[in-house]
Amino acid sequence: FFLHLAADCNAVLKALQPIFQEQGMTETVHNWEDHGYLVTYVKKNGSFANLRIHPHGLVLVDLQSYSDDMKGREEVDQLLNKVEERMKELFHGNIKRVKRLPAILRGGVIDRYWPTADGRLVEYDIDEVVYDEDSPFQNIKILHSKQFGNILILSGDVNLAESDLAYTQAIMGSGKEDYTGKEVLILGGGDGGILYEIVKLKPKMVTMVASNIDQMVIDGCKKHMRKTCGDVLDNLKGECYQVLIEDCIPVLKRYAKEGRMFDYVINDLTAVPISTSPEEDSTWEFLRLILDLSMKVLKQDGKYFTQGNCINLTDALTLYEEQLSRLYCPVEFSKETVCVPSYMELWVFYTIWKKQTGI
């Protein structure tokens, strides 16, 4: 409750006390002269409530219950309804805002809470754990969402859902490119989505180097993410594609030494780091190395596609764009912002190409 005026802390406490006492809850009051009250109410079954009354006009009620059944939820709602009714009686029209947040289920069998790239907590409508395994490299989860389909989550990071064709299309150039008869290199992309969509466009050859995406990711996706990958992961070789389960850096170095060139390089390895703190330095170095090596195997008129990060992370995106001026060859770039459904945020994608120099 956010009030229009300062709160009489003692009056609020006296008004709400009977509601909690009716529940058979034991009360403990902490009083600070200039900082209001903190009151705790504990029930015999372990449920408890915190009532925080701030003198400037903010009243907070946090209720935690150990009962997750329908009866328990109804009891919680009834108690909160009584608190709200009593506050409105006490303050009449002097309540500026009332905000009741949905309950957070802690320790549930299914984890429905995952952070966005810019640090907001999202509750997904997850109703089933489809796949949950630890590989030597990472934890791999595939969870089912009622609206997004199966979602691939790697070490706590939401990667891709079956609903996210917009992501795949954006990192391929948003339908503006002609892949017919072209040589394409995909870095990462272990969910198979990019490979599946490009193969439909009749390229000459697609090489996918599933670098930091291990075999267990591919195994999980080909079984549980078929709306995304179709059948392209059933075999590591097809008529116009091959999948290499290797570190992409030695592969890129080998291709550069051999003089092998590609019309398109699509980097789906990792998002742009969100900071330049010491623990992120290695990630920036990795990105710069991948960029340099990719430019060495990209044809003069070729294009390099990659994801950036959430549009709100402007500092991180600016730092990435600064990296582009530090490559061995001059490049130009454009960017596009796309709404990726399961991310619940706008995502930035980059197109990079070698700067054409006149004679």
Side-chain angles (χ1 to χ4, degrees):
F1 302 89
F2 188 47
L3 310 179
H4 283 287
L5 68 173
D8 182 338
C9 298
N10 189 56
V12 174
L13 175 59
K14 295 297 184 184
L16 298 182
Q17 272 178 330
I19 296 173
F20 296 101
Q21 290 170 351
E22 289 170 3
Q23 302 293 317
M25 304 178 93
T26 303
E27 178 187 82
T28 304
V29 180
H30 304 273
N31 179 13
W32 302 278
E33 289 185 4
D34 298 325
H35 300 287
Y37 288 87
L38 169 63
V39 190
T40 60
Y41 294 94
V42 181
K43 205 170 184 177
K44 289 182 179 180
N45 65 0
S47 299
F48 67 93
N50 291 325
L51 171 62
R52 184 70 171 95
I53 309 168
H54 294 271
H56 68 276
L58 182 64
V59 179
L60 305 174
V61 180
D62 178 24
L63 182 60
Q64 295 194 26
S65 172
Y66 287 89
S67 177
D68 187 40
D69 57 22
M70 189 58 66
K71 182 180 178 182
R73 294 178 188 178
E74 290 176 355
E75 289 177 353
V76 168
D77 285 339
Q78 289 171 6
L79 190 149
L80 293 176
N81 288 340
K82 289 179 180 179
V83 169
E84 187 170 333
E85 290 170 7
R86 188 68 189 96
M87 285 292 291
K88 289 178 179 177
E89 291 172 2
L90 183 64
F91 289 100
H92 304 291
N94 288 318
I95 297 179
K96 184 184 295 186
R97 185 170 69 246
V98 178
K99 183 72 173 182
R100 188 186 297 190
L101 300 176
I104 292 179
L105 178 64
R106 299 178 178 179
V109 176
I110 298 176
D111 186 359
R112 299 196 298 257
Y113 305 96
W114 300 95
T116 59
D118 60 352
R120 292 171 292 113
L121 184 63
V122 173
E123 179 178 2
Y124 287 85
D125 56 347
I126 303 297
D127 59 3
E128 182 184 359
V129 178
V130 177
Y131 182 87
D132 188 356
E133 297 289 343
D134 288 312
S135 80
F137 310 100
Q138 59 204 329
N139 174 258
I140 306 160
K141 284 184 175 65
I142 298 177
L143 308 178
H144 180 263
S145 157
K146 296 175 184 177
Q147 61 181 325
F148 301 127
N150 286 346
I151 304 175
L152 174 65
I153 299 175
L154 299 179
S155 295
D157 182 34
V158 175
N159 269 237
L160 197 75
E162 292 178 318
S163 64
D164 296 343
L165 182 59
Y167 176 100
T168 304
Q169 291 175 333
I171 206 169
M172 290 171 52
S174 295
K176 302 171 187 174
E177 305 299 322
D178 181 7
Y179 285 90
T180 306
K182 299 298 175 60
E183 292 271 1
V184 183
L185 177 63
I186 301 172
L187 307 176
D191 53 73
I194 299 171
L195 179 61
Y196 180 56
E197 295 301 323
I198 288 183
V199 165
K200 296 177 186 177
L201 303 178
K202 304 187 183 305
K204 180 179 179 182
M205 175 56 68
V206 183
T207 300
M208 184 172 105
V209 186
S211 178
N212 64 340
I213 308 295
D214 55 62
Q215 182 67 51
M216 287 181 66
V217 173
I218 291 178
D219 291 342
C221 288
K222 73 180 180 182
K223 183 175 181 180
H224 302 293
M225 298 280 291
R226 294 190 77 84
K227 289 182 181 178
T228 295
C229 66
D231 60 357
V232 295
L233 296 181
D234 292 351
N235 297 291
L236 297 184
K237 284 191 176 182
E239 289 184 9
C240 63
Y241 73 88
Q242 60 176 340
V243 178
L244 308 178
I245 312 296
E246 299 181 42
D247 185 342
C248 71
I249 291 176
V251 173
L252 284 168
K253 288 180 177 179
R254 184 172 75 243
Y255 286 168
K257 185 176 181 180
E258 295 170 354
R260 185 170 178 186
M261 306 293 282
F262 295 88
D263 298 286
Y264 295 99
V265 177
I266 301 175
N267 180 355
D268 192 35
L269 291 170
T270 183
V272 167
I274 63 173
S275 75
T276 54
S277 56
E279 62 267 22
E280 296 286 4
D281 284 349
S282 61
T283 307
W284 281 111
E285 291 172 5
F286 174 75
L287 282 177
R288 284 194 295 269
L289 179 58
I290 293 296
L291 274 164
D292 257 331
L293 290 173
S294 295
M295 291 302 116
K296 289 178 180 178
V297 301
L298 185 67
K299 292 181 180 179
Q300 190 62 33
D301 60 350
K303 291 183 179 179
Y304 174 97
F305 296 119
T306 190
Q307 62 165 317
N309 211 311
C310 167
I311 194 172
N312 288 343
L313 298 173
T314 53
D315 290 345
L317 295 171
T318 298
L319 285 169
Y320 178 73
E321 291 166 19
E322 290 175 0
Q323 308 304 312
L324 301 181
S325 64
R326 298 170 57 184
L327 304 182
Y328 85 95
C329 66
V331 300
E332 296 178 309
F333 71 91
S334 63
K335 54 187 175 182
E336 178 183 20
T337 301
V338 173
C339 180
V340 180
S342 77
Y343 289 12
M344 299 194 197
E345 53 191 334
L346 296 176
W347 210 253
V348 178
F349 293 84
Y350 286 92
T351 302
I352 302 166
W353 60 91
K354 293 178 180 177
K355 188 173 183 179
Q356 303 299 317
T357 56
I359 298 176

